[in-house]
Amino acid sequence: MTTVIIHGQAHEGSTYHIAHELAEKIGGEQIEFFLPKDFPHFCGGCTLCFKDEGKCPHAADLAPIVQAMDLADVIILASPVYVYHATGAMKAFLDHLGYRWMVHRPRACMFKKQGVCVATAAGAGMKSTMQDMADSLYFWGIAKQYRLGFAVAAVNWDGVADKKKALISRKTDALARAIRRRNGKAKPGLKTKAFFFLMRLLQKKGWNESDVQYWNEMGWAGKTRPWK
């Protein structure tokens, strides 16, 4: 198995340690990216990616991350809570992948992957932070999604109480087992499939030439489905 972790911050705090602990327990190869170091750009709103993602001004810097995601079995998006939401670096990265949402040109490989959203805060805000990242997992077509959110009552990993670390360990143990058990078997649920079929109807009518051509090339306007 290959797990890609995309960290929404550069420091190795509580969120980093939990994401890394989970990846270690999943086993196999691990590939990590740290934002904004590995991708420092903001989306300029040029909309070029919706016509051809290769024309994005930041395509060359984005390529290593998306290539790793496409080859991975598991994608972990990890962000500490910043004012009740994901970090700006994480948001800026996800903004660049709008062209991969199901309404445009989703990648077939995503419909067989598992994804995890990890978030921590000293107090609150994990739910909304994980939702920021989970939206992209869902609209990319990720087959099985999980969330790990913890109020760690500390500003760094060393300050997290042993009792809390033990709870985190039990949660990551259980989640790693579930991910390993579903490896190679994950399929999207009814909600994802229903949305895919809704987008299929949209693409059959067509409004973006690049998207319509892509769906036709993939055979999705006909009987082919990305999860089979």
Side-chain angles (χ1 to χ4, degrees):
M1 293 180 68
T2 300
T3 299
V4 167
I5 312 173
I6 300 171
H7 298 280
Q9 78 296 314
H11 64 276
E12 298 181 1
S14 298
T15 314
Y16 163 86
H17 278 87
I18 294 169
H20 208 268
E21 179 178 308
L22 175 62
E24 289 286 342
K25 291 177 178 178
I26 292 170
E29 182 183 5
Q30 293 139 36
I31 303 170
E32 294 180 277
F33 296 96
F34 292 86
L35 306 173
K37 178 176 69 70
D38 291 321
F39 189 75
H41 306 291
F42 288 99
C43 174
C46 66
T47 72
L48 289 175
C49 65
F50 296 124
K51 300 175 183 177
D52 180 351
E53 60 267 26
K55 293 182 179 180
C56 170
H58 311 134
D61 292 332
L62 188 64
I65 306 180
V66 296
Q67 287 170 6
M69 289 168 51
D70 287 349
L71 294 173
D73 301 292
V74 182
I75 298 171
I76 299 177
L77 301 179
S79 175
V81 174
Y82 281 17
V83 292
Y84 263 51
H85 291 282
T87 65
M90 177 62 78
K91 180 63 167 61
F93 165 71
L94 295 175
D95 285 347
H96 282 79
L97 297 178
Y99 72 90
R100 285 179 166 237
W101 279 33
M102 275 189 274
V103 68
H104 294 292
R105 300 187 299 281
R107 294 317 189 246
C109 60
M110 292 292 167
F111 291 83
K112 299 176 183 179
K113 297 185 189 297
Q114 300 184 79
V116 186
C117 297
V118 178
T120 69
M126 292 78 67
K127 182 177 180 180
S128 51
T129 297
M130 289 188 290
Q131 189 63 52
D132 287 341
M133 299 180 286
D135 284 341
S136 285
L137 291 182
Y138 172 72
F139 287 111
W140 292 342
I142 294 290
K144 186 66 179 178
Q145 304 164 40
Y146 312 88
R147 303 186 189 195
L148 276 178
F150 297 99
V152 295
V155 295
N156 55 54
W157 185 244
D158 289 339
V160 179
D162 289 341
K163 185 177 180 180
K164 177 67 70 171
K165 287 182 178 178
L167 170 64
I168 292 169
S169 182
R170 292 195 297 271
K171 294 287 188 179
T172 53
D173 279 342
L175 182 52
R177 286 195 299 270
I179 290 172
R180 290 196 304 269
R181 186 172 62 249
R182 294 190 174 104
N183 184 43
K185 305 173 185 176
K187 291 186 178 182
L190 182 60
K191 181 181 177 182
T192 300
K193 289 181 178 180
F195 191 76
F196 176 89
F197 279 105
L198 179 63
M199 294 303 98
R200 175 176 173 270
L201 294 176
L202 176 65
Q203 298 302 342
K204 288 183 75 173
K205 294 182 179 179
W207 61 278
N208 182 336
E209 183 178 346
S210 296
D211 297 345
V212 172
Q213 180 180 349
Y214 178 81
W215 278 69
N216 285 328
E217 289 175 352
M218 298 302 295
W220 296 343
K223 296 182 178 180
T224 302
R225 300 294 175 260
W227 51 83
K228 294 182 179 180

